[in-house]
Amino acid sequence: MFKAITFLLFALISMGSLAQGIDKQSIDFKSLQKSNWTKQELENALLITDFVQSLMNNHDFDYVLAHYNNSAYKQHNRNLPDKMTGLVSFLQDFVEDYPEYSYDVQRILVDGDFVVFHSHATLYKDDRGNDQKGMNIIDTWQVKDGQIVEHWDSIQALDGFMRFYSLISGGTIRNDNGVF
């Protein structure tokens, strides 16, 4: 019980302080959470929110590796390397080219151990909020015992540049986990 309360307080404080970051997209968890979630579902949603905010918006890769680098993480996006270290390595290189890359989470759905984010990802700050730019992404994570253990996604490129980028980068298979 103490562990759960400590985690919830830490996550809420972290999200509040992250929201003050200049030019950083921030996940508005309070407006996205649902009253019908169980206590465990709320904890799972907070865990994934902290993970996504740190990884996709703050690009705080050291934090992600320190808090979420367990050996059980299985990546089902065939274009990304497996394990948390593979994901972080890929994104470190990606944000060198696109430092304004961010995730605007539009919806959070939770069903037991599964947390689903429906998000609008953009490469440039000026494209945030423009649903004609970037990518429409649905991510699904499985959480077990407070650990992120699996990830699946479905990505729709919204503009010509992202369609082209997806075409040229989409052919390299970087893990053998399958899509399901």
Side-chain angles (χ1 to χ4, degrees), residues 43-60:
E43 289 176 14
N44 291 344
L46 282 166
L47 178 85
I48 296 300
T49 300
D50 181 62
F51 170 72
V52 170
Q53 181 65 43
S54 300
L55 183 70
M56 302 301 227
N57 291 330
N58 297 346
H59 310 149
D60 190 347

Side-chain angles (χ1 to χ4, degrees), residues 113-166:
D113 291 341
F114 292 91
V115 179
V116 179
F117 277 21
H118 182 200
S119 306
H120 180 216
T122 53
L123 299 178
Y124 306 105
K125 181 181 167 189
D126 290 345
D127 292 341
R128 293 178 191 165
N130 180 349
D131 66 2
Q132 301 299 308
K133 299 285 186 178
M135 298 170 284
N136 171 27
I137 301 179
I138 297 177
D139 288 290
T140 303
W141 291 272
Q142 185 176 22
V143 177
K144 286 187 180 176
D145 300 321
Q147 300 288 319
I148 305 169
V149 295
E150 291 191 78
H151 170 258
W152 301 261
D153 61 16
S154 181
I155 302 171
Q156 176 188 22
L158 298 174
D159 60 65
F161 175 76
M162 289 312 305
R163 288 186 191 109
F164 178 72
Y165 179 82
S166 296

Side-chain angles (χ1 to χ4, degrees), residues 15-82:
M15 284 184 275
S17 64
L18 296 174
Q20 297 172 13
I22 298 172
D23 295 333
K24 299 284 186 196
Q25 185 76 36
S26 183
I27 300 170
D28 184 4
F29 184 80
K30 192 171 186 172
S31 72
L32 297 169
Q33 78 180 77
K34 307 295 183 282
S35 60
N36 65 331
W37 291 345
T38 67
K39 180 179 175 252
Q40 187 61 55
E41 288 173 331
L42 176 63
E43 289 176 14
N44 291 344
L46 282 166
L47 178 85
I48 296 300
T49 300
D50 181 62
F51 170 72
V52 170
Q53 181 65 43
S54 300
L55 183 70
M56 302 301 227
N57 291 330
N58 297 346
H59 310 149
D60 190 347
F61 305 118
D62 292 334
Y63 176 87
V64 170
L65 289 175
H67 291 86
Y68 299 106
N69 187 21
N70 69 358
S71 61
Y73 182 82
K74 187 173 184 179
Q75 178 62 255
H76 291 280
N77 179 327
R78 302 291 306 278
N79 302 122
L80 296 176
D82 201 20

Side-chain angles (χ1 to χ4, degrees), residues 6-17:
T6 303
F7 172 77
L8 289 173
L9 287 174
F10 172 76
L12 289 172
I13 291 167
S14 295
M15 284 184 275
S17 64

